[in-house]
Amino acid sequence: MVEHKVGDDIAEAAERRMTDILGRPVFLYGFPAELKAFYMKKMPKASADGPTFTESCDLLMPGVGEIVGGSMRIADEQELLEAYKREGIDPAPYYWFTDQRKYGTCEHGGYGLGVERFLAWLAKRYTVRECSLYPRWPGRATP
């Protein structure tokens, strides 16, 4: 058994094992910022030298693992521009995303539902491949 500490990236196999042992849905939240997307809002730090976590969560389901991931988004223009720079992203193509902060936005979030994962959970299938219209694996990259 692998011991995890705060700040670790938890592998899919460990997530699945956890939900299988508990036998119920689990929400994981507050992931280390360096593991998540640049546009995710950061939680206030507990201490000056402590790690930075995102205001994000994943919904894990028994037998499948993660089916939904979501987060609050950065609402401050300057913070977003710094995130582009930190990640080496040219902000020009994302002017529309940045302008939302420039001209005023509200606190907001978003999520993504893995439809095939949701179907795998509903159908009690171990692998998402069985629920995908065009499954891929090594040696098979085309329908």
Side-chain angles (χ1 to χ4, degrees):
M1 184 161 93
V2 176
E3 293 291 325
H4 292 285
K5 64 183 186 321
V6 174
D8 283 350
D9 189 8
I10 302 172
E12 179 187 356
E15 289 180 348
R16 288 180 89 147
R17 177 136 169 80
M18 177 176 55
T19 56
D20 290 347
I21 289 169
L22 296 172
R24 62 183 63 192
V26 174
F27 269 107
L28 292 181
Y29 68 93
F31 296 94
E34 63 271 5
L35 300 177
K36 298 306 252 181
F38 74 94
Y39 53 78
M40 291 185 178
K41 184 176 179 174
K42 315 291 186 288
M43 289 182 181
K45 288 181 114 181
S47 66
D49 60 340
T52 302
F53 297 100
T54 58
E55 288 189 20
S56 60
C57 66
D58 288 346
L59 173 60
L60 313 177
M61 299 300 281
V64 180
E66 180 188 340
I67 64 168
V68 177
S71 73
M72 294 299 290
R73 307 300 199 234
I74 293 172
D76 179 76
E77 179 191 15
Q78 198 55 46
E79 186 180 349
L80 183 60
L81 290 170
E82 289 169 12
Y84 290 140
K85 186 176 181 180
R86 184 177 58 252
E87 297 295 321
I89 296 171
D90 176 12
Y94 302 100
Y95 70 90
W96 55 272
F97 192 65
T98 309
D99 281 356
Q100 292 173 11
R101 280 85 181 152
K102 184 178 192 176
Y103 298 114
T105 189
C106 61
E107 294 292 326
H108 64 286
Y111 69 94
L113 167 65
V115 175
E116 288 90 354
R117 290 174 180 262
F118 182 65
L119 288 174
W121 174 68
L122 285 175
K124 295 182 177 15
R125 297 291 176 209
Y126 180 77
T127 176
V128 174
R129 262 186 290 186
E130 296 178 49
C131 299
S132 178
L133 186 58
Y134 300 107
R136 296 176 308 203
W137 58 85
R140 183 176 189 270
T142 59

